[in-house]
């Protein structure tokens, strides 16, 4: 519990420090537009992980185990189903890279879309549930 609490506090402190340092950077330099996109992707990841961490912390305080068997199974199934979609996404992004001059934008978009694809499958299996079709 103490280790998880410490990691949660450190994550929240990082989530607060990152935007402050980014806006200091922007005030000193005039960055290109892709820097703002990368900032948005990083903030989306930070906010998502913070929400998950706070939810796990609240569950742990209530005495509910953070990772039960169903949660682990939903995570595995979402990851398994999203692999083919993510591979197709990267193939399309590599093909789009032929026409786009700045590959940093593609990498940021790819990471963001990977997150969205996994989250979509995770929400789908969270609502639908996971069944045993192997019988």
């Amino acid at each position: 519990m103490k280790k998880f609490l410490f990691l949660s506090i450190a994550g929240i402190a990082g989530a607060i420090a990152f935007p402050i340092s980014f806006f200091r950077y922007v005030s000193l330099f005039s960055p290109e537009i892709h820097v703002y996109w990368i900032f948005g992707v990083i903030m989306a990841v930070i906010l998502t992980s913070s929400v998950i961490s706070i939810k796990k912390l609240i569950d742990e305080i209530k005495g509910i185990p953070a990772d039960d068997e169903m949660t682990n199974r939903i995570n595995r199934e979402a990851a398994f189903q999203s692999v083919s979609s993510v591979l197709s996404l990267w193939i399309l992004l590599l093909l789009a890279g032929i026409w786009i001059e700045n590959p940093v934008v593609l990498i940021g978009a790819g990471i963001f879309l990977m997150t969205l694809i996994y989250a979509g499958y995770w929400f789908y299996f969270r609502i639908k549930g996971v069944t045993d079709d192997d019988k």
Side-chain angles (χ1 to χ4, degrees), residues 6-22 39 42-43 46-47 49-50:
F6 176 73
L7 289 175
S8 297
I9 291 171
I12 291 170
I16 293 169
F18 177 72
I20 293 170
S21 62
F22 177 78
F39 172 74
I42 292 172
M43 282 308 296
I46 287 174
L47 290 174
S49 62
S50 296

Side-chain angles (χ1 to χ4, degrees), residues 17-83:
F18 177 72
I20 293 170
S21 62
F22 177 78
F23 288 117
R24 287 267 303 166
Y25 169 76
V26 170
S27 67
L28 295 176
F29 302 103
S30 178
E32 296 179 17
I33 191 71
H34 72 273
V35 174
Y36 293 103
W37 283 100
I38 294 170
F39 172 74
V41 169
I42 292 172
M43 282 308 296
V45 171
I46 287 174
L47 290 174
T48 304
S49 62
S50 296
V51 167
I52 292 170
S53 178
I54 289 170
K55 182 190 175 302
K56 284 184 178 185
L57 183 63
I58 290 170
D59 287 346
E60 198 165 314
I61 289 171
K62 289 180 181 177
I64 302 169
D67 292 329
D68 59 346
E69 185 177 336
M70 188 61 163
T71 303
N72 289 336
R73 189 146 182 224
I74 288 171
N75 289 338
R76 279 194 311 267
E77 190 67 26
F80 175 72
Q81 294 294 328
S82 66
V83 166

